[in-house]
Amino acid sequence: MDLVKHCLVKSGSKLHLKDHDPGDTFGVRRNDAAFEKRLDRLRELQQLLYADKRYALLIVLQALDAGGKDGTIQHVMSGVNPQGCKVTSFKVPSSEERLHDFLWRVHKAVPERGDIGIFNRSHYEDVLVVRVHRTVSKEVWSKRFAQINDFERELSENGVRILKFFLHISKDEQKRRFQARLLDPARNWKLSLSDFEERRYWDDYMKAYEDALRKCSTSGAPWYVIPANHKWFRNYLIAELIVQALEDMKLKYPPPMIDVSKIEVV
């Protein structure tokens, strides 16, 4: 099955998130053994990427609170070599970051060739949160779509493959996850009052995400809407898309720096 066609946001498409079922599995049945095989393949390809050094892979994860960003990183990237994988979490900008353009702190976190970089939230917060809460004017945030596209095009033209995943959960599923966290002392620390307050802006966030996904899904930096109500399917689908992207790079080991035929271990 071509899973890409089910979740890829085509450039310029008239995306409506209400048409994407967060509980969909595209007809795929849970198969933990198949998932483990994809993780094994991901580990192999990460080693190739690290050795090849021609490309970097940047994975952008965006979601509403409790959407599963942390869980995706934990389960999909389990087992990869930490020497070649770095996670960057973008919080509220610091005072220093606010004195620069909004992409300044992002460019510094882009992975080097041979590495995988994961953005837990990203530069897209600057066309989402600031829009919903009106902390900057429409005149400011509306220009950022083109600036983001220019930035991502520069990266892709310089060897950075970009995959952007919107983890799409329903409002009811978010409520269920919040309630589960409230009942689990080991997960209480993940809750904040702002999580619950942000639920009031659900419709505003959906509209903001629709604009961001429509306007910033390009051939070099595509957006994927990932049905994320079922965690097992979210993990399987993202692992599959990452593996496909790495395989498309046609990675290969570089030639040895020495003539191994003349080396004798004594």
Side-chain angles (χ1 to χ4, degrees):
M1 180 186 297
D2 184 4
L3 295 175
V4 171
K5 71 178 182 180
H6 290 288
C7 55
L8 174 66
V9 178
K10 294 182 179 179
S11 180
S13 65
K14 296 181 179 180
L15 172 74
H16 298 288
L17 288 172
K18 64 180 177 61
D19 298 331
H20 292 256
D21 180 6
D24 205 346
T25 63
F26 305 152
V28 176
R29 294 184 178 182
R30 181 167 185 170
N31 186 329
D32 292 342
F35 176 60
E36 287 300 323
K37 285 185 178 180
R38 299 322 280 161
L39 294 189
D40 288 341
R41 180 60 177 154
L42 173 56
R43 295 175 190 118
E44 294 172 0
L45 289 166
Q46 186 213 7
Q47 183 174 332
L48 264 173
L49 178 72
Y50 189 78
D52 189 298
K53 288 289 191 290
R54 288 181 296 156
Y55 306 104
L57 177 64
L58 173 59
I59 299 168
V60 174
L61 298 176
Q62 285 286 156
L64 294 175
D65 294 317
K69 299 181 300 298
D70 292 343
T72 298
I73 295 168
Q74 178 184 352
H75 294 287
V76 176
M77 307 310 293
S78 63
V80 299
N81 190 332
Q83 291 185 96
C85 183
K86 180 181 178 181
V87 178
T88 304
S89 297
F90 289 96
K91 307 293 185 181
V92 176
S94 67
S95 57
E96 179 187 21
E97 290 167 344
R98 284 194 294 270
L99 292 174
H100 292 81
D101 69 276
F102 77 101
L103 289 169
W104 178 74
R105 64 174 182 164
V106 180
H107 211 154
K108 296 193 300 180
V110 172
E112 62 186 56
R113 293 185 184 92
D115 284 1
I116 296 174
I118 302 171
F119 285 178
N120 186 339
R121 300 190 188 274
S122 68
H123 42 300
Y124 283 92
E125 295 295 294
D126 289 287
V127 293
L128 296 168
V129 176
V130 299
R131 170 180 174 172
V132 170
H133 290 285
R134 301 180 182 180
T135 54
V136 301
S137 67
K138 182 177 180 179
E139 181 183 6
V140 172
W141 63 253
S142 62
K143 292 178 181 178
R144 290 176 175 174
F145 295 121
Q147 293 165 358
I148 287 172
N149 286 340
D150 288 342
F151 169 66
E152 293 177 347
R153 182 171 59 253
E154 176 192 354
L155 295 183
S156 65
E157 290 176 354
N158 284 276
V160 181
R161 178 66 188 273
I162 305 170
L163 298 175
K164 300 179 296 192
F165 301 124
F166 171 57
L167 310 183
H168 185 31
I169 62 170
S170 65
K171 194 173 183 179
D172 285 343
E173 176 63 16
Q174 185 192 59
K175 179 179 180 180
R176 189 193 68 77
R177 293 183 185 184
F178 280 168
Q179 289 173 332
R181 289 180 182 180
L182 283 168
L183 295 173
D184 184 356
R187 290 191 290 169
N188 287 171
W189 66 272
K190 299 187 76 173
L191 293 169
S192 68
L193 288 177
S194 64
D195 295 339
F196 303 98
E197 293 168 355
E198 289 292 272
R199 277 176 62 81
R200 294 186 293 132
Y201 300 97
W202 183 276
D203 292 340
D204 294 330
Y205 273 111
M206 290 297 102
K207 185 176 181 181
Y209 265 110
E210 286 174 347
D211 277 351
L213 272 58
R214 287 181 194 131
K215 295 179 179 180
C216 296
S217 189
T218 62
S219 59
W223 269 110
Y224 298 90
V225 177
I226 305 297
N229 275 9
H230 299 290
K231 297 177 182 179
W232 69 265
F233 183 66
R234 173 201 71 197
N235 296 337
Y236 173 81
L237 180 55
I238 290 177
E240 181 64 33
L241 293 172
I242 294 173
V243 165
Q244 288 184 22
L246 288 169
E247 289 180 336
D248 288 345
M249 292 180 190
K250 307 299 182 186
L251 301 166
K252 56 186 178 182
Y253 289 111
M257 300 176 65
I258 58 174
D259 185 349
V260 295
S261 65
K262 296 181 179 180
I263 300 297
E264 181 181 356
V265 180
V266 296

